Amino acid sequence: MIRRIFIIGLILCIVVTGDGAASTDYTKQYSISTPFPGRSVEAGTIISFPIVVESTGTGETGRLWVQPFAGTTDWDFTFRKDGSEVTQITLPSGSKETVTLEIETDSETPIGEYRVKVYVGDATLWLTIRIDETHKGEDGILTLKTVDEIGKAVGGVLVELKPVRGGGESILLTSASDGTLRTVASPGEYTVSIRKEGYYSPAAVTAKVRAGMTETLSDRVLQTRDTALTVAWETRAVTVTPGSSTTIALSLENIGRAGATFSLGTEGVPEGWSVRYRTGTGTTGQDISSVYLGTGDKRDIQMVITPKYREEIGEYTLTSVISTPGGDRYTAEIEASVRGSHGMEVSLDQYILETTGSDPLTFRVTVRNSGTAGDLTAVTPKISAPTGWNAEILPETVAGIAPGERVVFDVSLIPPSNVVASEYKFTMKVGSDQAVVEDNFRVAVKEGSFAAILGVMLLLIVGGGIYLGFRRHQRR
């Protein structure tokens, strides 16, 4: 029994002695410090801490890393030396080195105090960062510039921002004429891709938009194709009138490396419409279906759109297409809004009528739809006449007159039985649901032949009576 106790005690002494030797042999490899371990910053900014590292051991390699805590898990931590990122350090015993720890705070971090723990090998250091201003709930701004291979600005470039996470819809934008683009976007990461007809597109890049901050991408470079064109349409929305031509100006420039002939065409033209391209103006202009441009050449042409004569009022679309020999297409969807005007023309076959009594007068009135905005409806002529005169018009009314069509009305005008010889003024008024037109005409009433004979006979009788009276007076 005593022997067992002795053996157990001996084993315990060996274990304790071994542990003591192990602890005595351990040597700490590094110690770290910074002169200002606490800083105040605005959320979204980058703060730098100089970390002084001293080797206190045998020169073993130590890993550099940061342990985040509550509220800092979305922050980015980077160790840098001479502008390059470093992740490990090896120093001879007794030597020192300074590395910079860059901490990029999240711009949506709420106001408050946050702590992180820095590790360099077996050494640790606590840092305190106070956020005194936050951008939580704000949008961010993304800016970029599109240029060609020689640095010349390229405008009108389609820029697509596609969210990396969440499956949201892409945002489609267009760079300005000077190639710049500045847009507001929700915080997050986006895949940025650009494209423009006539250019080879660069590879897509990832951009991080932070709340309340501006992210500026480096210039996005497009490579010019051998046959490339810039096309500027003066407008992509026009108001047109049925049967009349409307012109849209186009400006073409060959930005490719070689001269080429470019085809001019259209797609989706409404039935009965005419669309053609012209060069020049007035009598010197001519229709064209293609145009040759040398390298750097510019040309102004016109696109002439003519709707059919009786086109209905409404919105129509067609596509202007400019094609290169290599098959590249430059397109613009043209919105044509058909608008018309109502017009009515009224004409009489006689404007001065003559009569010698109460016999009816007949004439015709022609009404023409001179407008382009559809039918004239409920067309009704009426006559404003002096007292005692009557008028009959057939037909009394017409339901509708189509644009360009005409209708003839037969008019009978009946004078009163006691009409006095004179000239009378009448007004023909033609009304419809869309327009009203008035026109004047006159009727000259003359004495009949019987009345003239009676007048002559009365004059002869009066003259004879005077003559006889005069003779009798002479005899006396």
Side-chain angles (χ1 to χ4, degrees):
M1 182 69 179
I2 295 174
R3 186 176 179 181
R4 284 184 179 178
I5 294 172
F6 175 77
I7 294 172
I8 293 171
L10 182 61
I11 293 171
L12 290 173
C13 288
I14 293 171
V15 171
V16 172
T17 302
D19 287 347
S23 350
T24 303
D25 291 342
Y26 175 76
T27 302
K28 191 172 180 64
Q29 296 294 318
Y30 293 98
S31 68
I32 56 176
S33 63
T34 187
F36 303 102
R39 302 278 293 276
S40 292
V41 295
E42 175 186 350
T45 58
I46 297 176
I47 185 171
S48 299
F49 289 91
I51 306 297
V52 180
V53 183
E54 182 178 0
S55 175
T56 58
T58 58
E60 294 183 5
T61 299
R63 187 166 71 93
L64 288 71
W65 63 288
V66 176
Q67 181 180 3
F69 290 90
T72 66
T73 54
D74 291 330
W75 295 9
D76 292 328
F77 306 93
T78 306
F79 289 91
R80 295 190 181 278
K81 179 65 177 178
D82 298 330
S84 300
E85 182 179 359
V86 293
T87 59
Q88 295 180 335
I89 190 170
T90 302
L91 294 177
S93 179
S95 61
K96 292 182 179 181
E97 190 66 74
T98 299
V99 296
T100 300
L101 171 60
E102 293 182 352
I103 301 177
E104 183 177 352
T105 59
D106 181 37
S107 61
E108 295 188 276
T109 303
I111 294 175
E113 194 169 271
Y114 301 87
R115 302 190 73 195
V116 297
K117 193 173 185 180
V118 181
Y119 288 82
V120 177
D122 55 0
T124 61
L125 175 66
W126 285 95
L127 299 177
T128 302
I129 297 94
R130 176 169 182 77
I131 301 297
D132 55 16
E133 182 180 350
T134 184
H135 297 284
K136 187 175 181 62
E138 299 179 14
D139 288 329
I141 296 175
L142 178 67
T143 65
L144 58 83
K145 185 175 182 179
T146 52
V147 298
D148 62 14
E149 60 272 12
I150 61 173
K152 181 181 177 182
V154 179
V157 178
L158 181 64
V159 180
E160 180 181 9
L161 306 182
K162 185 176 183 180
V164 174
R165 301 178 184 86
E169 293 185 358
S170 295
I171 303 172
L172 297 179
L173 306 162
T174 303
S175 64
S177 58
D178 62 355
T180 59
L181 183 142
R182 178 183 175 90
T183 185
V184 175
S186 300
E189 289 188 334
Y190 295 86
T191 299
V192 182
S193 57
I194 66 173
R195 62 182 181 273
K196 181 178 174 67
E197 292 171 332
Y199 295 87
Y200 295 106
S201 299
V205 296
T206 300
K208 184 178 180 179
V209 177
R210 298 179 297 158
M213 313 300 289
T214 298
E215 173 72 10
T216 301
L217 295 181
S218 58
D219 288 352
R220 309 301 298 136
V221 181
L222 301 105
Q223 296 292 327
T224 308
R225 295 177 181 267
D226 288 337
T227 54
L229 190 68
T230 60
V231 185
W233 284 265
E234 178 186 32
T235 181
R236 302 194 182 199
V238 293
T239 299
V240 295
T241 302
S244 300
S245 297
T246 300
T247 300
I248 298 176
L250 283 78
S251 179
L252 312 179
E253 180 181 3
N254 183 357
I255 60 172
R257 298 186 177 95
T261 298
F262 301 92
S263 300
L264 313 174
T266 52
E267 295 178 352
V269 178
E271 184 179 357
W273 289 38
S274 167
V275 181
R276 65 189 192 278
Y277 294 90
R278 288 181 62 82
T279 182
T281 58
T283 57
T284 62
Q286 60 180 355
D287 292 348
I288 56 175
S289 59
S290 63
V291 60
Y292 176 82
L293 296 174
T295 302
D297 285 354
K298 297 180 180 180
R299 181 73 61 83
D300 292 329
I301 63 174
Q302 297 83 41
M303 180 181 184
V304 184
I305 303 173
T306 308
K308 64 183 180 182
Y309 188 75
R310 295 184 181 178
E311 186 59 271
E312 295 182 0
I313 304 301
E315 308 297 326
Y316 298 82
T317 60
L318 55 94
T319 303
S320 174
V321 182
I322 316 297
S323 304
T324 70
D328 291 333
R329 289 158 49 92
Y330 303 82
T331 63
E333 185 175 83
I334 307 299
E335 297 181 358
S337 178
V338 176
R339 296 288 182 267
S341 59
H342 293 287
M344 182 166 60
E345 296 177 355
V346 176
S347 60
L348 285 67
D349 63 351
Q350 298 180 68
Y351 282 87
I352 299 178
L353 294 88
E354 294 183 354
T355 183
T356 57
S358 58
D359 294 334
L361 300 170
T362 60
F363 60 96
R364 288 187 167 186
V365 177
T366 301
V367 179
R368 177 178 175 270
N369 184 348
S370 58
T372 56
D375 292 358
L376 294 173
T377 56
V379 180
T380 304
K382 293 182 179 179
I383 290 180
S384 175
T387 303
W389 291 72
N390 293 314
E392 294 181 357
I393 303 175
L394 294 176
E396 293 182 356
T397 186
V398 173
I401 304 176
E405 298 295 327
R406 64 190 68 206
V407 170
V408 176
F409 295 86
D410 292 314
V411 181
S412 294
L413 194 61
I414 305 172
S417 57
N418 59 346
V419 64
V420 177
S422 182
E423 187 173 272
Y424 298 85
K425 180 180 178 182
F426 298 79
T427 298
M428 171 64 70
K429 180 178 180 180
V430 181
S432 70
D433 293 333
Q434 295 77 23
V436 176
V437 175
E438 292 185 355
D439 204 357
N440 297 321
F441 66 96
R442 298 177 181 276
V443 174
V445 177
K446 298 181 178 181
E447 292 182 345
S449 58
F450 180 71
I453 293 173
L454 288 178
V456 172
M457 291 178 66
L458 286 174
L459 289 174
L460 291 173
I461 292 172
V462 171
I466 294 173
Y467 176 76
L468 292 175
F470 180 76
R471 290 292 301 269
R472 290 177 181 176
H473 180 72
Q474 281 183 338
R475 290 175 182 175
R476 290 179 183 177

